[in-house]
Amino acid sequence: MTEYQKLIDELTKNHILKSDELLQLIECNDAEALDYLFSKSRQCRELSYGKDIYIRGLIEISNCCKNDCYYCGIRRSNTNVQRYHLTTEQIRECCRLGYELGFRTFVLQGGEDLYYDDDKLCLLISEIKKEFSDCALTLSLGEKSRESYQRYYDAGADRYLLRHETANEVHYGRLHPDEMSAKNRKQCLYDLKEIGYQVGSGFMVGSPYQTTKLIVEDLLFLKDLQPAMVGIGPFIPHHETPFAAETGGTLEQTLTLIALIRLLLPHALIPATTALGTIASDGRSRGILAGANVIMPNLSPEDVRQKYMIYDNKLSTGAEAAESLNQLKEEMKKIGYQVVVSRGDVIKMKDDA
């Protein structure tokens, strides 16, 4: 048994490794060891969730954002974006379409758009939960005050996705303008957990200035946070950002990290992201085979999907589109998995401590 395999077995058994051991596995490029890693991550996922793949209906409610993150195509400084907000009725109609297709989780995602104040959001949340009482509602709307998060939760929101992007404060400062901070981002995540949300976090793989040691920090932060969901995807440059000329993250490193996260947090819900499908035609399937168990097809109105372009060439058609759900089901069936009609809640995380 190789040194890599010994480390993988230890991680599989104990769900934690020392920093230098995690670094070794992140940097591993031994094909046999990686195959062993993926086999262990699949086994781990199937112990928790079997062969089921959960789907979330993604509704991109707005591409307006008050922030100016250096990597994001809808940053406020990009004056070439055709901005939009969906009306509350448009959003509810997306939910109706999704419900008929078999979705039992809706994800309202958008930039930090001041158009949706707390009163408007709380009314929308309560209306969706009243109409679709057997469904989970997830928000992914950025940094808010604890009071706002509490109001959304009281109105009926179940989950909140807020990727931390990088756990290191210096690195965070190189990706964001001065008015944003890693400290506040992390505080938002802990506030959300304390309120009672199923919380999702995550980071970009291969972002500018990222090192392997920084990725280790990200993994240890996630282990401490114990989120219900971890979303990671490769950094993909957008041509109208300060990082337009930077090199994107790779499929291979993203898959390795999905597998490591599965073994660190065996009960986490882990999506095979749109970004994976954007950089490789089989990226989504390979994400599932690395240990992911969630896919988030796009339920947004077709006329706005190309306007929510947070990175170049973002997919919104084919199996990424909610209306092509049968195509996605066939894709999953070919690799031995099945898309299920379910809220897909995280199972109790008693073993993740």
Side-chain angles (χ1 to χ4, degrees):
M1 180 174 284
T2 68
E3 186 63 31
Y4 286 130
Q5 289 174 330
K6 289 177 182 176
L7 289 176
I8 292 164
D9 282 347
E10 184 181 342
L11 179 59
T12 302
K13 181 181 178 182
N14 299 320
H15 311 305
I16 190 64
L17 287 175
K18 297 173 184 176
S19 295
D20 61 326
E21 294 170 333
L22 284 171
L23 190 142
Q24 267 186 271
L25 290 179
I26 294 167
E27 293 182 342
C28 174
N29 56 13
D30 178 273
E32 185 178 344
L34 290 172
D35 285 345
Y36 189 72
L37 172 65
F38 296 141
S39 71
K40 290 295 185 180
S41 64
R42 283 194 296 275
Q43 290 172 20
C44 181
R45 186 269 316 282
E46 288 167 20
L47 279 172
S48 297
Y49 294 103
K51 299 277 191 177
D52 291 349
I53 301 299
Y54 300 130
I55 52 172
R56 317 310 201 189
L58 180 64
I59 306 170
E60 294 161 337
I61 68 172
S62 171
N63 68 352
C64 300
C65 191
K66 68 181 180 64
N67 292 330
D68 214 18
C69 306
Y70 301 150
Y71 48 82
C72 185
I74 62 171
R75 62 197 302 260
R76 69 168 186 260
S77 292
N78 186 359
T79 57
N80 293 319
V81 178
Q82 188 179 350
R83 305 288 179 175
Y84 74 89
H85 328 268
L86 296 185
T87 65
T88 54
E89 185 51 38
Q90 282 178 302
I91 295 167
R92 291 174 66 185
E93 189 55 40
C94 291
C95 294
R96 293 181 190 116
L97 170 64
Y99 193 86
E100 289 184 15
L101 290 171
F103 290 88
R104 294 299 179 266
T105 289
F106 305 119
V107 181
L108 307 188
Q109 184 176 80
E112 293 192 24
D113 185 355
L114 301 178
Y115 170 80
Y116 297 104
D117 61 25
D118 285 356
D119 289 342
K120 194 172 293 186
L121 277 173
C122 288
L123 180 60
L124 173 62
I125 291 164
S126 62
E127 287 176 341
I128 291 172
K129 290 294 289 188
K130 183 177 180 181
E131 187 170 355
F132 306 100
S133 58
D134 58 334
C135 295
L137 183 62
T138 303
L139 305 180
S140 181
L141 301 172
E143 296 179 20
K144 307 283 185 179
S145 69
R146 185 184 177 112
E147 291 73 25
S148 293
Y149 288 145
Q150 185 69 58
R151 287 190 64 186
Y152 308 155
Y153 187 78
D154 292 343
D158 302 282
R159 307 174 185 147
Y160 204 101
L161 309 182
L162 183 68
R163 297 210 307 193
H164 68 275
E165 300 303 4
T166 173
N168 182 275
E169 292 196 21
V170 174
H171 187 215
Y172 194 94
R174 301 184 79 177
L175 303 179
H176 301 88
D178 289 344
E179 65 265 21
M180 299 179 71
S181 73
K183 181 179 179 181
N184 189 64
R185 194 81 162 185
K186 291 175 182 177
Q187 187 58 54
C188 287
L189 287 164
Y190 285 112
D191 286 346
L192 288 161
K193 279 206 75 173
E194 288 176 11
I195 288 168
Y197 285 91
Q198 291 182 34
V199 175
S201 191
F203 58 93
M204 292 179 290
V205 178
S207 62
Y209 315 113
Q210 188 181 64
T211 64
T212 311
K213 287 184 178 179
L214 291 176
I215 295 173
V216 171
E217 283 191 50
D218 286 317
L219 296 182
L220 295 177
F221 170 72
L222 290 170
K223 184 65 179 176
D224 178 70
L225 179 67
Q226 293 284 308
M229 177 173 166
V230 180
I232 66 167
F235 163 70
I236 303 175
H238 189 285
H239 64 284
E240 290 181 333
T241 68
F243 293 151
E246 296 289 336
T247 302
T250 67
L251 175 68
E252 291 74 20
Q253 189 171 42
T254 306
L255 296 175
T256 297
L257 289 167
I258 286 174
L260 292 175
I261 290 166
R262 170 58 64 202
L263 296 177
L264 279 166
L265 298 167
H267 301 327
L269 297 160
I270 303 176
T273 61
T274 299
L276 270 180
T278 297
I279 65 170
S281 59
D282 62 347
R284 183 192 310 100
S285 295
R286 290 179 68 181
I288 296 297
L289 291 171
N293 65 328
V294 172
I295 296 178
M296 298 170 67
N298 201 320
L299 268 175
S300 308
E302 290 186 48
D303 62 337
V304 304
R305 291 181 193 177
Q306 292 301 312
K307 298 174 186 177
Y308 198 86
M309 202 58 60
I310 53 179
Y311 50 79
D312 283 347
N313 304 312
K314 175 173 169 279
L315 290 183
S316 59
T317 58
E320 293 295 339
E323 60 271 15
S324 301
L325 192 55
N326 286 335
Q327 181 181 337
L328 176 62
K329 288 177 179 178
E330 284 302 310
E331 193 177 303
M332 292 299 103
K333 189 176 178 182
K334 284 178 183 176
I335 59 171
Y337 294 86
Q338 70 257 351
V339 172
V340 295
V341 176
S342 168
R343 280 172 48 118
D345 290 296
V346 68
I347 67 172
K348 192 173 182 182
M349 295 181 286
K350 61 181 180 302
D351 297 326
D352 288 354

